[in-house]
């Protein structure tokens, strides 16, 4: 734990934003935090400055992203057809996980946290992100859970009513205990886009959304407010008032 640990988090709501633009902003904030950590190493304890934490909320125009451990063959159509036929883009990115889809109506969260401010345990970090989404879905009367070996949040994890259905994908990168990327919760997402991929490389399970499960669309800002509340409680965060 840092001598100057900082649990304050700057929450930024970016709205509908191009994937590349959001990625660039993540990289900028990530570099700011890492550079402060490196600078602190050269300073005495009295001169060190707390490292910042950020939480970005947004949604993206249609885009497919493939993580470093992913397999390109899980994109089921020719990459050149994505833009012309489906209005989508494609990115290979430095995060865990396989291929996934982002699009309008999906709540995307990018926590850029210095885990030295909280705890240095990536496994615990991932499980708390999942727990945050599980608690949010419970607010809407949905019982969600985890599946061993498959990061993310699922409905029907016991398989009693057909295949399990993935409602939230997760993939993160961490360097020097600073995190990037995060989670994508299907709220009002057009699920037909998932027909063009093997989501997260998993062939025997389905994909769903909050709107499909509830039978009506849910305001994205309402879901974001619940996610933020649960995240702040689980991580014992403090909101930076702006």
């Amino acid at each position: 734990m840092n001598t100057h640990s900082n649990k304050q988090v700057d929450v930024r709501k970016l709205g509908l934003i191009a994937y590349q633009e959001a990625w660039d902003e993540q990289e900028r904030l990530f570099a700011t935090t890492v550079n402060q950590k490196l600078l602190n190493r050269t300073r005495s304890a009295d001169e060190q400055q707390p490292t910042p934490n950020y939480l970005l909320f947004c949604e993206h125009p249609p885009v497919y992203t493939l993580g470093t451990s992913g397999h390109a063959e899980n994109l089921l159509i020719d990459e050149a057809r994505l833009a012309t036929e489906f209005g989508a883009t494609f990115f290979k990115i430095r995060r865990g996980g396989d291929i996934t889809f982002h699009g309008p109506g999906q709540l995307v969260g990018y926590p850029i946290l210095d885990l030295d401010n909280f705890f240095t345990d990536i496994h615990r970090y991932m499980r708390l992100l999942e727990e945050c989404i599980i608690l949010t879905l419970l607010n809407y009367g949905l019982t969600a859970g985890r599946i061993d070996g498959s990061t993310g949040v699922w409905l029907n994890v016991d398989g009693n009513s057909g295949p399990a259905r993935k409602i939230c994908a997760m993939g993160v990168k961490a360097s020097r205990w600073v995190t990037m990327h995060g989670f994508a919760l299907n709220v009002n997402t057009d699920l037909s886009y998932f027909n063009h991929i093997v989501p997260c490389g998993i062939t025997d399970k389905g994909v769903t959304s909050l709107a499909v499960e509830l039978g009506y669309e849910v305001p994205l800002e309402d879901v974001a407010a619940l996610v933020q509340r649960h995240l702040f409680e689980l991580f014992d965060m403090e909101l930076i008032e702006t």
Side-chain angles (χ1 to χ4, degrees), residues 9-26:
V9 179
D10 182 353
V11 178
R12 301 186 177 184
K13 298 173 182 177
L14 306 181
L16 182 65
I17 182 174
Y19 187 81
Q20 183 68 62
E21 190 178 344
W23 191 1
D24 290 344
E25 179 65 1
Q26 280 194 81

Side-chain angles (χ1 to χ4, degrees), residues 116-151:
D116 267 321
N117 289 324
F118 302 95
F119 49 78
T120 49
D121 185 331
I122 291 295
H123 179 79
R124 182 182 174 194
Y125 174 67
M126 296 300 296
R127 301 297 78 79
L128 285 182
L129 284 187
E130 291 168 343
E131 187 66 20
C132 167
I133 301 301
I134 290 169
L135 291 172
T136 298
L137 294 172
L138 196 57
N139 289 126
Y140 290 96
L142 298 176
T143 301
R146 303 173 179 85
I147 294 178
D148 287 344
S150 298
T151 300

Side-chain angles (χ1 to χ4, degrees), residues 7 11 40 84 116 142 171 203 212:
K7 293 185 181 295
V11 178
N40 282 345
T84 56
D116 267 321
L142 298 176
T203 58
V212 165

Side-chain angles (χ1 to χ4, degrees), residues 19-20 23 63-67 79 89-93 95:
Y19 187 81
Q20 183 68 62
W23 191 1
V63 57
Y64 295 94
T65 66
L66 181 68
E79 188 177 329
T89 52
F90 177 77
F91 288 89
K92 293 180 180 179
I93 58 174
R95 61 153 171 79

Side-chain angles (χ1 to χ4, degrees), residues 3-197:
T3 305
H4 299 279
S5 63
N6 172 32
K7 293 185 181 295
Q8 290 193 320
V9 179
D10 182 353
V11 178
R12 301 186 177 184
K13 298 173 182 177
L14 306 181
L16 182 65
I17 182 174
Y19 187 81
Q20 183 68 62
E21 190 178 344
W23 191 1
D24 290 344
E25 179 65 1
Q26 280 194 81
E27 292 276 15
R28 186 183 70 81
L29 297 175
F30 176 85
T32 297
T33 302
V34 169
N35 289 341
Q36 184 60 59
K37 293 191 80 165
L38 294 175
L39 189 59
N40 282 345
R41 288 186 176 185
T42 68
R43 293 175 167 177
S44 67
D46 291 339
E47 294 175 320
Q48 292 178 11
Q49 297 295 317
T51 49
N53 307 291
Y54 306 92
L55 173 59
L56 310 182
F57 282 119
C58 64
E59 55 182 321
H60 296 304
V63 57
Y64 295 94
T65 66
L66 181 68
T68 50
S69 57
H71 300 278
E73 60 269 25
N74 287 328
L75 177 63
L76 302 178
I77 62 174
D78 186 85
E79 188 177 329
R81 293 175 55 199
L82 289 179
T84 56
E85 296 186 30
F86 304 104
T89 52
F90 177 77
F91 288 89
K92 293 180 180 179
I93 58 174
R94 296 184 300 276
R95 61 153 171 79
D98 208 290
I99 196 165
T100 195
F101 169 76
H102 302 305
Q106 183 186 71
L107 179 66
V108 179
Y110 297 129
I112 303 169
L113 310 177
D114 180 4
L115 292 183
D116 267 321
N117 289 324
F118 302 95
F119 49 78
T120 49
D121 185 331
I122 291 295
H123 179 79
R124 182 182 174 194
Y125 174 67
M126 296 300 296
R127 301 297 78 79
L128 285 182
L129 284 187
E130 291 168 343
E131 187 66 20
C132 167
I133 301 301
I134 290 169
L135 291 172
T136 298
L137 294 172
L138 196 57
N139 289 126
Y140 290 96
L142 298 176
T143 301
R146 303 173 179 85
I147 294 178
D148 287 344
S150 298
T151 300
V153 177
W154 306 75
L155 298 178
N156 194 40
V157 292
D158 54 12
N160 284 339
S161 55
R165 305 182 296 279
K166 192 166 197 175
I167 194 167
C168 184
M170 294 186 178
V172 304
K173 168 193 170 183
S175 178
R176 300 184 188 275
W177 294 114
V178 180
T179 65
M180 262 187 70
H181 304 294
F183 59 85
L185 175 60
N186 294 329
V187 181
N188 306 311
T189 319
D190 180 353
L191 299 181
S192 68
Y193 281 93
F194 287 95
N195 296 335
H196 309 306
I197 61 173

